[in-house]
Amino acid sequence: MGEFIGLSVPNLSGNERKYMDEAIDSEWVSTAGPYIPQFEKGIADYVGAPDAVACQNGSSGLHLAFLELGVGTGDAVIVPDLTFAATVNPVVYCGANPIFVDCDDTLCLDPVKLREFITEECEHIGGRVFEKSTGFRVAAIAPVHVFGNLCDMDAIMDVAEEFKIPVVEDACESLGSRFTSGRYAGMHSGTVGDIGVFSFNGNKIITTGGGGMIVARDPQKLAHMRYKSQQAKDDAVRFIHNELGYNYRMTNIQAALGMAQLEQLDGFIEIKKRNYELYNRLGIELLPFSLDRCNPNYWFYSFMTERREELMSKLAERNIGTRPIWELMHRLPAFSKYRSYRLEKSIYYHKYVLNLPCSSNLTEEQVHTVADAIKEILGK
Ligand SMILES: Cc1ncc(COP(=O)(O)O)c(C=O)c1O
């Protein structure tokens, strides 16, 4: 068996140890300390946002985002069927009901079906949108930039603005992806909607072990999310809490790791792009990122094959890590009571996609190894 080639493993080859040692030496290891505002500023500057709020993970960031937009009991939130459960869980934490809408060929939320759902399946009363069959108010739309590809935000924001529905961009996988055409050309994922959330989980393009970051168009909303993430403490001496709070703040140790990772982000994207192109040149045709719309961060590579299950297990025998797409949201027992709308492409892509090794420390030689193994197994 050859060396293990992981699917998406952290690349900790910079100043990680140095900055974390500094944090430990300073004894600022918890939810206060200088690395937290530095990392917030670093990410805000990188994505071109005025400010950012660092939190425990992408999930807690999404939870704060939905709360901030007033999502609650009796509401519905439109989410893609093809995503990770962490997009949907926070909707349910708020007491609201997810509605699963199909993806398009970019694997991201289909704006045509989104519009169709809002116009045909909803009633429009007093400037608000209610799902006809349940009476749930459609309180938010949560597009997900799947695998670092970017949603058609022009079309999604057209719908959102026309029907005055706030947008939470789940940018957990797309840090570094930016639009190159359309109304948002030059802007980063996460900065287009009302609120955007990034994740720094271990498999993301940069990691803080676990961590997340929130950006928002409205500085007051962002400040309020920072307050909620720190237990909504109004008086740090007498511990007065005027609102319900959450212990969602990032720690200084996580932020130290994040600063070291952020220094390398552009380099990681370059390597991921190089390896993506190399796979294609070697005859392993990966799903295209929508290059007419964006410069993606090339986070995850998707290969389509009818022999997906066989390929996955034979690559595992050769110590090569791969993964199918997440089970679709409408099929998860946890979400079985929620509605879905016109699912076709999510089902199609779910059946055939296999994600291939894509770490930012994957060498060209390892790409050759994976490509050769795939060709051999599939007899290409
Ligand atoms: C699409 C998507 N949404 C949300 C999350 C949640 O992020 P976290 O794991 O940091 O809670 C992730 C990553 O894990 C993700 O891939």
Side-chain angles (χ1 to χ4, degrees):
M1 202 188 268
E3 59 157 346
F4 175 65
I5 302 179
L7 174 67
S8 180
V9 300
N11 185 344
L12 306 169
S13 50
N15 287 316
E16 288 81 6
R17 202 175 294 274
K18 179 167 176 258
Y19 296 167
M20 287 177 80
D21 277 351
E22 271 171 30
I24 291 168
D25 290 344
S26 75
E27 295 180 352
W28 290 102
V29 294
S30 192
T31 51
Y35 276 114
I36 305 167
Q38 265 181 49
F39 188 44
E40 288 179 332
K41 183 166 183 332
I43 292 288
D45 289 350
Y46 186 87
V47 302
D51 195 4
V53 169
C55 51
Q56 273 298 318
N57 43 46
S59 304
S60 56
L62 288 165
H63 189 196
L64 291 171
F66 290 123
L67 286 171
E68 191 60 33
L69 296 173
V71 172
T73 310
D75 287 339
V77 174
I78 297 179
V79 293
D81 185 41
L82 194 157
T83 186
F84 178 40
T87 313
V88 182
N89 287 330
V91 172
V92 181
Y93 302 160
C94 294
N97 305 276
I99 296 172
F100 306 121
V101 171
D102 206 6
C103 63
D104 61 17
D105 291 316
T106 68
L107 305 182
C108 298
L109 184 69
D110 182 341
V112 176
K113 286 184 178 163
L114 169 70
R115 174 174 286 281
E116 207 178 82
F117 179 81
I118 301 277
T119 51
E120 289 173 23
E121 300 290 316
C122 296
E123 289 178 314
H124 302 257
I125 305 166
R128 291 171 147 206
V129 178
F130 298 87
E131 193 202 6
K132 275 184 201 161
S133 62
T134 56
F136 294 148
R137 174 183 72 121
V138 179
I141 304 168
V144 180
H145 302 296
V146 176
F147 300 156
N149 206 1
L150 293 190
C151 300
D152 182 351
M153 287 306 285
D154 278 33
I156 290 172
M157 292 306 288
D158 279 348
V159 176
E161 282 163 10
E162 184 177 338
F163 297 101
K164 299 189 174 48
I165 305 171
V167 170
V168 173
E169 273 181 270
D170 181 338
C172 283
E173 302 181 350
S174 61
L175 178 66
S177 299
R178 57 206 90 176
F179 294 93
T180 49
S181 65
R183 281 212 300 286
Y184 306 110
M187 287 174 70
H188 277 253
S189 71
T191 66
V192 171
D194 294 81
I195 300 176
V197 179
F198 302 99
S199 165
F200 311 116
N201 186 27
N203 67 353
K204 296 299 185 288
I205 191 142
I206 63 169
T207 185
T208 58
M213 193 70 78
I214 313 170
V215 293
R217 275 211 300 241
D218 178 345
Q220 279 181 331
K221 283 194 168 57
L222 192 70
H224 189 242
M225 287 186 277
R226 179 177 279 125
Y227 162 77
K228 296 281 270 189
S229 77
Q230 299 178 100
Q231 302 281 25
K233 199 184 286 170
D234 290 279
D235 184 318
V237 178
R238 292 172 199 282
F239 285 70
I240 308 296
H241 305 265
N242 292 322
E243 288 185 29
L244 182 66
Y246 298 84
N247 187 10
Y248 280 175
R249 186 76 168 146
M250 180 180 275
T251 66
N252 199 46
I253 297 235
Q254 289 169 302
L257 189 50
M259 280 308 289
Q261 288 273 286
L262 183 55
E263 290 170 355
Q264 303 165 81
L265 175 53
D266 285 333
F268 290 170
I269 295 174
E270 273 311 303
I271 293 165
K272 279 178 170 276
K273 180 172 190 252
R274 178 203 74 191
N275 287 342
Y276 172 84
E277 288 167 355
L278 181 57
Y279 272 117
N280 281 296
R281 275 204 309 281
L282 295 172
I284 305 303
E285 211 176 301
L286 301 174
L287 280 187
F289 288 96
S290 45
L291 296 176
D292 52 331
R293 179 188 300 161
C294 65
N295 274 337
N297 67 357
Y298 296 90
W299 180 58
F300 248 43
Y301 307 150
S302 299
F303 178 66
M304 299 252 304
T305 168
E306 291 184 356
R307 293 164 61 193
R308 202 256 316 268
E309 296 303 309
E310 177 198 351
L311 182 60
M312 189 167 61
S313 61
K314 288 195 170 152
L315 286 173
E317 281 165 19
R318 294 175 187 220
N319 232 358
I320 296 172
T322 63
R323 201 179 76 182
I325 287 190
W326 319 274
E327 183 55 277
L328 296 171
M329 295 303 102
H330 78 279
R331 290 183 183 147
L332 292 181
F335 303 139
S336 60
K337 67 175 182 179
Y338 302 113
R339 177 170 183 197
S340 42
Y341 180 68
R342 288 201 52 206
L343 304 177
E344 289 145 335
K345 292 206 165 163
S346 64
I347 292 167
Y348 169 74
Y349 284 107
H350 175 268
K351 192 165 175 196
Y352 299 117
V353 165
L354 187 67
N355 290 126
L356 302 184
C358 62
S359 311
S360 57
N361 45 22
L362 188 73
T363 63
E364 292 184 79
E365 200 187 330
Q366 288 172 318
V367 176
H368 278 271
T369 304
V370 178
D372 289 347
I374 294 173
K375 286 192 265 190
E376 212 180 294
I377 293 164
L378 297 182
K380 281 177 136 198

